[in-house]
Amino acid sequence: MSKKNNKNYLLIVVITLDLVITMLCLALGCLMYTSNSRSVLKNLEYVEVTGLISNIDYGLHFGKSIESYYGMQNLLDSAVASADSVDAMYIVNDKGEVIFKTGDGLPDADAVGLSVGSNLKHGKTLYCSFKITGDVRLITAGDISDKAGQWYAYYRYLAFISFAGFMVSALIMVLIWRRVPSRKAAYRLLIVMLILWVLIISSYVGYSAYNEYSISINSMCSSIDRAAKADISKVHDEGIEDDNITGFAAYLKRYADNIPEIEAVNFKEGMDGCDFELSKSYLRKVTVDYVLQTLLFLAFSAMILTEYQLFMSGIGIKEWEEDDRNA
């Protein structure tokens, strides 16, 4: 049967295009969510290793070299024991050599070369890189089996939403094709329906990823709050009164300096937790980034639709329009 005589040819092509774009949106949503989650995990790990980094940096100010740092092994072992999300730590020098480590294993080869502030997922392990001084880095390794389970649950949820939306849009397209007698009018309505679905799914993916990111900020603040309370408790256990404790500003500033979402951190009255000032400029930038990612995907979808229209014109779409006029 020729394309012209196959009355459902246009419907099949548009629904296929609908499926392709839906799958692309699904892939984009999964990538955005995973990238967000990894970035948040990195920030949470930074909260747990901030004390260690500060201690090492303090020791290096007295002229120690990182290679001859006395007590480094004990510092690393203690930091791993007290960190919930870190299972191993490695100190890497400017030559890419592991000079200190916890445990008997070595990190993945790609993890050793991680630049400061970056992260790498290898199997069920997430590696994160933090600056100690100069080109010396602290590489952390943490098991993310639980988080990976959450990611897969989100992937399934997003796949369900995408598939359900695709089925609804495809059903509407079938109804349009059967109820509208003019092939030209029906075809245009199919394209309108496709564009509407692209707008809906793209916007939903962008909003869903941004919403998860917003929720994660509360997790970071809670983690900092717990860490600060634990440190103050240790000082109190040594018998030191609040009036004799100094350096609050510098202690809390390190969080704001290394977590871009946070502008400032201050102790509450009576040191019962922390107050957080979020970085409006950074969060505004993140919002713009999400909007741009959504718009870029919409632009990409528009390019696909344009190429499709050119393709359909090339195979004789006008013949269906002529059939309508001659009918």
Side-chain angles (χ1 to χ4, degrees):
M1 182 180 292
S2 68
K3 293 174 183 176
K4 179 179 176 180
N5 293 328
N6 185 352
K7 297 184 181 298
N8 294 324
Y9 177 72
L10 283 178
L11 175 64
I12 294 171
V13 172
V14 174
I15 289 179
T16 301
L17 188 61
D18 184 7
L19 177 61
V20 170
I21 293 178
T22 300
M23 295 301 292
L24 288 174
C25 281
L26 173 60
L28 174 67
C30 293
L31 289 173
M32 290 174 65
Y33 178 82
T34 305
S35 176
N36 273 344
S37 186
R38 286 168 53 175
S39 178
V40 170
L41 287 174
K42 177 180 69 67
N43 287 340
L44 291 176
E45 286 194 11
Y46 172 76
V47 174
E48 295 185 327
V49 301
T50 295
L52 170 66
I53 293 175
S54 296
N55 289 336
I56 296 174
D57 185 61
Y58 180 78
L60 292 175
H61 273 84
F62 293 95
K64 295 181 182 179
S65 66
I66 191 67
E67 287 81 3
S68 61
Y69 196 107
Y70 178 76
M72 177 67 78
Q73 192 62 53
N74 289 335
L75 282 175
L76 292 179
D77 290 338
S78 177
V80 169
S82 62
D84 293 331
S85 56
V86 178
D87 299 316
M89 294 183 183
Y90 311 91
I91 302 293
V92 181
N93 64 15
D94 54 355
K95 299 177 182 178
E97 301 169 337
V98 178
I99 53 179
F100 294 102
K101 63 185 179 69
T102 60
D104 298 325
L106 287 173
D108 182 75
D110 292 333
V112 175
L114 276 177
S115 59
V116 170
S118 60
N119 61 78
L120 171 71
K121 179 181 178 296
H122 182 77
K124 298 293 185 178
T125 301
L126 181 70
Y127 293 99
C128 299
S129 176
F130 305 99
K131 179 180 178 180
I132 293 182
T133 182
D135 293 326
V136 179
R137 292 162 290 129
L138 170 67
I139 306 295
T140 62
D143 179 53
I144 55 170
S145 298
D146 292 342
K147 288 295 179 182
Q150 294 178 15
W151 296 352
Y152 298 144
Y154 179 82
Y155 299 160
R156 291 192 294 270
Y157 164 75
L158 191 58
F160 172 77
I161 294 295
S162 300
F163 180 73
F166 163 73
M167 293 300 294
V168 171
S169 63
L171 178 60
I172 294 174
M173 289 178 181
V174 171
L175 293 175
I176 290 172
W177 192 253
R178 291 182 176 179
R179 297 296 179 86
V180 178
S182 170
R183 296 298 86 182
K184 177 181 178 180
Y187 173 71
R188 288 181 176 176
L189 287 173
L190 293 184
I191 296 300
V192 170
M193 183 62 215
L194 180 57
I195 293 173
L196 180 62
W197 168 238
V198 169
L199 288 171
I200 292 173
I201 186 62
S202 298
S203 300
Y204 179 80
V205 165
Y207 170 77
S208 181
Y210 180 77
N211 187 54
E212 291 290 332
Y213 170 77
S214 299
I215 293 173
S216 70
I217 294 176
N218 294 329
S219 298
M220 285 189 288
C221 292
S222 297
S223 182
I224 294 173
D225 191 73
R226 288 193 301 271
K229 285 181 178 179
D231 288 341
I232 290 297
S233 178
K234 290 177 183 177
V235 174
H236 287 166
D237 290 343
E238 295 294 328
I240 302 174
E241 300 294 332
D242 292 345
D243 293 341
N244 297 322
I245 304 175
T246 60
F248 292 135
Y251 168 80
L252 295 175
K253 187 174 183 295
R254 58 191 181 180
Y255 294 115
D257 287 345
N258 290 277
I259 299 178
E261 288 85 355
I262 297 175
E263 182 72 26
V265 186
N266 297 290
F267 277 116
K268 293 180 180 178
E269 190 73 23
M271 296 189 179
D272 184 24
C274 299
D275 287 321
F276 299 89
E277 179 184 347
L278 300 181
S279 174
K280 294 180 180 178
S281 60
Y282 183 80
L283 293 180
R284 191 161 47 242
K285 175 182 175 297
V286 171
T287 301
V288 171
D289 286 343
Y290 275 104
V291 172
L292 287 177
Q293 288 183 58
T294 302
L295 292 177
L296 282 172
F297 187 77
L298 287 173
F300 182 66
S301 299
M303 290 175 59
I304 294 176
L305 287 171
T306 301
E307 290 293 330
Y308 162 75
Q309 287 288 74
L310 293 174
F311 167 74
M312 294 307 294
S313 298
I315 66 170
I317 184 64
K318 294 185 181 300
E319 294 180 16
W320 279 278
E321 297 177 6
E322 292 174 1
D323 287 345
D324 283 338
R325 288 194 294 269
N326 295 332

